[in-house]
Amino acid sequence: LVGPRSAGAPSRAAVRLSASVGGEPMAIERQAATSAPSRVAVRLSASGEDSPMTMDWNLPTVLTLGRVALIPVLALLWLSSAAAPGTGLRLSLAGVFAGAAFTDWLDGYLARRLECTSDFGAFLDPVADKLMVCAALVFLACDFGPSVGIPAALILCREIGVSALREWMAARDCREAVAVSIAGKFKTAAQLVALVLLLASPVPKTPVLLALWHPIGSLEGVGLNLLHVATILTLYSGWGYVRAAVKATASGRTTSTSSVPSE
């Protein structure tokens, strides 16, 4: 308890209480003035310092939010193509998805070029990607049957598991151990290209069975084969996350400088 006093000025008291919540420090600071209403300032952070995640409304963030806003448009186009089969609607569906996928690269490029990266943007970007990809996988699983449904289930399970693993590692201050690497970029690129090709393909009259290899004489065949490659990369990078997490927690390290397959 510290109470500095000076002539002609009201006495002030500063009380700092440190506690531990979930293994991380919490700092609570209270300031009171005898001649004015008491004021309470509460600060919560991993380090006891102010570090709020502010919502920075810059161009990259707007592009990312636009990607999320396009999901209902994709759903509407998919429903329309199912009600009135035709290559025109399927091409429109693929075009909208391709445009949304392009903004995934564009918002990151602009954030670096304009030097307007933010914690909120870093949080929102992978969420927008997952929402868009998951929506497209659900649509295509309904269109193509097991040939897309089984890879889609594996991809979705991996995404949920990795997201949970990331949160757990962040709580242990080991998030850097599962940082993004080049392997994740290849996985994402393969997924997006495969989804664009399949969305542009006509809906088959009968469900397509799962096969190790599909004829590549059509967009459907190329898209299915590329989706299988993307599924393998997805599982491989997910296993890399698990290995890195086990290694980091076992050794007690809070950072990892090794290259780890990731998103």
Side-chain angles (χ1 to χ4, degrees):
L1 175 63
V2 180
R5 297 178 179 270
S6 59
S11 63
R12 302 173 64 88
V15 180
R16 181 175 296 272
L17 173 65
S18 297
S20 177
V21 178
E24 296 183 359
M26 177 182 69
I28 302 178
E29 182 176 331
R30 177 172 180 172
Q31 293 181 333
T34 59
S35 61
S38 62
R39 294 181 302 169
V40 178
V42 179
R43 298 184 294 153
L44 299 176
S45 69
S47 61
E49 299 178 354
D50 295 313
S51 58
M53 181 183 291
T54 58
M55 297 179 64
D56 299 322
W57 294 101
N58 48 44
L59 181 57
T61 300
V62 171
L63 288 174
T64 304
L65 289 173
R67 196 153 67 246
V68 177
L70 283 176
I71 295 177
V73 179
L74 291 172
L76 181 61
L77 287 172
W78 177 73
L79 289 173
S80 300
S81 66
T87 56
L89 288 173
R90 296 293 293 189
L91 290 177
S92 299
L93 177 61
V96 172
F97 184 85
F102 175 72
T103 64
D104 181 28
W105 170 83
L106 183 61
D107 59 11
Y109 171 78
L110 291 176
R112 293 186 297 270
R113 185 66 180 270
L114 301 177
E115 297 182 352
C116 55
T117 58
S118 65
D119 292 338
F120 178 66
F123 156 77
L124 184 62
D125 184 68
V127 173
D129 295 342
K130 287 178 174 60
L131 290 175
M132 185 179 65
V133 170
C134 289
L137 286 172
V138 171
F139 300 155
L140 291 171
C142 296
D143 290 339
F144 289 88
S147 60
V148 174
I150 295 176
L154 294 174
I155 291 173
L156 293 179
C157 288
R158 180 268 188 190
E159 296 294 353
I160 295 173
V162 167
S163 296
L165 180 62
R166 274 183 164 178
E167 293 300 321
W168 182 66
M169 293 296 287
R172 298 176 63 90
D173 197 23
C174 297
R175 190 178 183 87
E176 292 81 1
V178 287
V180 177
S181 75
I182 191 65
K185 296 181 179 180
F186 284 114
K187 180 268 294 183
T188 301
Q191 277 186 357
L192 295 178
V193 174
L195 293 177
V196 169
L197 293 177
L198 291 174
L199 289 172
S201 303
V203 179
K205 295 181 179 179
T206 58
V208 181
L209 299 178
L210 184 66
L212 294 177
W213 184 258
H214 297 271
I216 58 175
S218 63
L219 290 178
E220 175 186 324
V222 176
L224 289 173
N225 290 326
L226 191 55
L227 181 62
H228 295 166
V229 173
T231 303
I232 294 173
L233 291 174
T234 300
L235 296 177
Y236 170 75
S237 61
W239 174 241
Y241 270 117
V242 174
R243 288 189 294 108
V246 171
K247 184 177 180 180
T249 54
S251 61
R253 292 184 293 116
T254 59
T255 58
S256 175
T257 58
S258 61
S259 177
V260 179
S262 180
E263 293 275 46

